[in-house]
Amino acid sequence: MSVRFEFQDARDWRYLMESLNAIVDEASFIMDREALKLRALDPSRIAMVDLHVPREAFNTYEIEESQVKIGVNFDDLIKVLRRAKAEDKIIFEIEGRRFRIILAGKAERVFSLPLIDIVGEELPTPKVSFDVIAKMLSDTLRDSLKDAEMISDTVRFVGEENVLRIIAKSDKGELEAKFSPEGGSLIEYDVRHPSAASYSLSYLDDIVSRAYRVSEIVTVEFSTNKPLSLSFEIAGGGTLRYYLAPRLEA
Amino acid sequence: MGVNLRELVAPVKLELELEQLAGKVIVLDAYNALYQFLATIRQPDGTPLIDALGRVTSHLNGLFYRTVNLLEKGLKVAYVFDGKPPELKAAELERRAKWREEAERKYVEALERGDLEEARLYAQQASRLSSSMVEDAKRLLSLMGVPWVQAPADGEAQAAFMTVRNDAWATASQDYDSLLYGSTRLVRNLTITGRRKLPRKDEYIEVKPELIELDKLLKGYGLSREQLVYVAILIGTDFNPGGVKGIGPKKALKMVKELSTLADIEKIVEWSFPVKPHEIAKVFLEPEVTEDYQLEWRAPDKDGIIEFLCDEHQFSRERVGNALERIEKASKALTKQSTLESWF
C-alpha cells in the first residue's frame, strides 16, 4: 500500500493520539478517499472512541488504494510525537510495510515504526437518542470532574430544564457543580426530557484530561441510564467523539 | 506454579483498575488464592496468624478481607476448588513436597540465626494448605454468600470452562494455566492488588490487576490454542517441570510454528520426562470439568460470620464488623457498570 498525508500541527496530532490512547493501547486507523477514521472499544467494553478526520483537514492527503488499515501502537507513536517541536508539521508515509513519520520544522526528522496487525471487530455506533445536549468549555468540564474525583469514583449528570448539574456523593462528602446558559457556563443547552445518569469518573477523567487539549469546546450528551457522549471538534475539521456506558443501580 | 507464559503474554497484557471489573463475574482459583494468603499474611519473622488454639488463620484472614474488598468494588466473585490432582502431576507434587520440607528446615535454621528476613522468606515457601483449611475456606465463603464450585479435577480447568460457557467473564489466578485450558480472559494479581513488599528488600511496589485475553494472545502470535499448549509443553508445565532443555519461549514459539503438530515436535526434541507430550496436551485440551454448578450470590450471614471468625478463631470483632458493613453498603449502594454492548 502507499499512503501519504500531512497535518499542519504535529503537536495537535500528538494531543489527538494521546486522547485515543485514553481508550486503547493499539488500534487500526481506516483511511479511505474521504477521511481518516478510527473506532475502538476499551478492553472492558465500557468506553468507545470514534475519530473522524476528513481529507480537507489535511494539508495533503494521498491514497492509492480505496481503503487501507493502519495498525499502530499508541505508546510507540506518542513517544515519537512527543519529540515534535512547536510549528513542526507532521507527515505520515506508508509504503508497503514501512511506516514513516516525518516531523518537518527547521530540520526534517524521519522516524520509522512497525505497522502492526490488529484483528479488529466492526463496531456499530451505539444506538442512543440524547435527551440532554450541552455545549461547554472543555476546561470547565475537566475542572468539575477533578472536583468530583476528590469525593467519589462515580459522577452523576443531571439535566434539568435550565440547569445542568454534576453531582458526586460519598462518605467523604458531596459535590454539586451547576451550569446554566444564563450563568454563561453553557454555550448551548437543549433538554428534551429531564434526565439523569451516572458514569465512572476514572474513565471520564482519563478521557477529558487528555481530550480537552484537542478542543476548547465539548458537547456533552446523555439520557437517563443511557451512554454519555462527549464530542470534541478538531481544529481544521473532524470530530473526536467518545461514548461511555452508564453505571446503573444494581 | 504452572506454566510460565510471562514473557509471551507481556505484549498483550493490560493493566486495569479494580473498578473496571465491577459488575463482572470473576472466578478465582481458590487454591492459588489460599496459598497466596498463607504465604503473605505472616508476622515479620514468618509466623502465620494463629488463633487461641494455635490453628493457622492466615488463609481465612486473606480470604475474608480480600473477598470483601472485591465485593465492595462491585466484582461478582466466585471461587473454584481443585478436585483430585491428576496422577500425571505426581512428579511435580513430590518435587513441591520436597521443596517445602527443605524450606521448613531452612526456616528453622534462619530463626536460630536470628535472621528474620530469611526466616520469613522460607516460612512463605514452606506454606502448606491442609484439607481442614480448605474446608474452613468453603465454610467461610458459604457464610459470606459467595458461590464456590468444586472442580472434579483441576480448578483452573473448571474456571476456564465457566468462561467458555459465558457464565464468567474471566478467571483469576497468578498461574497462566487457565489460558491453556481455554479461559477467554485471565486476570492476574487480583488477590495481591495494592502495595506489596519486595522480597529481601525494604521496598514496596504498587501491584495492579492485569488482564490477558486469550484471543488477543493467540492472534498476536498467530497460534491456535492447541499450538499454545504445545509451546507450553516445550517451556515446561506442572507435568514436565522445567520443560525441554535449552528451549525458552522464543524458541518454543518458532518450533511450534514451523512444525505445527505434536508428533513432529516429539521427533526432534529430547524428551526426558515420564509423562509423554500428547498426554500433557490431552490434560489441557480435554480436561475433566463439570456443568453441575450454580453461581448465586446471597446476602452474608452476619451472625454466622462473627461466630465463625470471632468466636471460633478470635478475629477482631471490630474489624470484622466494619468489613461486614462495607459489604452491606456495597451491595445496597452499588451502581453496576454497564457495557456499551447493550446499545449496539
Side-chain angles (χ1 to χ4, degrees), chain B residues 288-302:
Chain B
E288 200 187 338
V289 291
T290 176
E291 291 184 10
D292 184 17
Y293 59 82
Q294 274 184 328
L295 295 181
E296 272 177 18
W297 287 263
R298 288 177 293 100
D301 171 358
K302 285 164 99 181

Side-chain angles (χ1 to χ4, degrees), chain B residues 203-216:
Chain B
E203 277 174 40
Y204 288 82
I205 47 161
E206 181 74 23
V207 178
K208 286 190 173 179
E210 247 172 51
L211 173 69
I212 300 144
E213 293 175 279
L214 179 62
D215 197 46
K216 216 168 163 190

Side-chain angles (χ1 to χ4, degrees), chain B residues 29-165:
Chain B
D29 175 356
Y31 273 66
N32 188 274
L34 293 173
Y35 268 116
Q36 295 277 350
F37 301 142
L38 273 181
T40 52
I41 303 176
R42 283 172 185 270
Q43 297 166 43
D45 67 348
T47 315
L49 305 183
I50 47 172
D51 64 13
L53 296 177
R55 292 172 298 194
V56 173
T57 56
S58 294
H59 60 302
L60 292 176
N61 186 292
L63 185 65
F64 180 63
Y65 291 112
R66 180 54 62 161
T67 306
V68 168
N69 244 335
L70 299 176
L71 293 174
E72 195 182 19
K73 295 279 180 195
L75 279 72
K76 298 180 87 174
V77 293
Y79 287 84
V80 172
F81 287 84
D82 282 346
K84 59 174 186 354
E87 273 165 38
L88 299 177
K89 231 181 199 175
E92 168 65 8
L93 295 179
E94 200 175 310
R95 195 182 68 85
R96 285 185 208 171
K98 275 214 184 103
W99 171 269
R100 274 199 286 270
E101 268 172 39
E102 181 72 11
E104 241 160 59
R105 195 176 55 72
K106 286 182 178 160
Y107 166 60
V108 176
E109 282 174 11
L111 271 187
E112 280 167 0
R113 278 200 312 275
D115 186 341
L116 293 188
E117 186 72 11
E118 286 280 305
R120 183 179 161 87
L121 217 58
Y122 287 120
Q124 289 182 346
Q125 293 172 6
S127 303
R128 252 181 236 271
L129 189 63
S130 68
S131 56
S132 70
M133 289 176 181
V134 172
E135 289 316 308
D136 285 348
K138 289 177 179 171
R139 184 172 157 206
L140 179 59
L141 289 173
S142 298
L143 287 169
M144 293 175 79
V146 171
W148 56 268
V149 176
Q150 177 62 60
D154 198 331
E156 285 186 275
Q158 179 65 31
F161 177 62
M162 289 159 71
T163 66
V164 172
R165 292 184 87 209

Side-chain angles (χ1 to χ4, degrees), chain B residues 179-196:
Chain B
L179 293 169
L180 304 183
Y181 285 120
S183 175
T184 52
R185 296 183 192 83
L186 166 66
V187 178
R188 295 185 73 245
N189 297 345
L190 207 55
T191 49
I192 57 166
T193 294
R195 205 162 156 265
R196 289 288 136 189

Side-chain angles (χ1 to χ4, degrees), chain A residues 134-137 139-145 147 156-167 175-187 189:
Chain A
K135 215 176 221 193
M136 64 199 292
L137 291 177
D139 215 19
T140 312
L141 177 64
R142 177 168 165 258
D143 272 345
S144 46
L145 294 176
D147 292 343
R156 194 159 176 82
F157 284 68
V158 181
E160 292 159 9
E161 209 163 316
N162 293 309
V163 182
L164 171 71
R165 294 173 207 273
I166 293 184
I167 300 169
L175 161 92
E176 182 174 310
K178 282 186 205 168
F179 308 94
S180 65
E182 287 72 36
S185 49
L186 294 180
I187 301 163
Y189 191 52

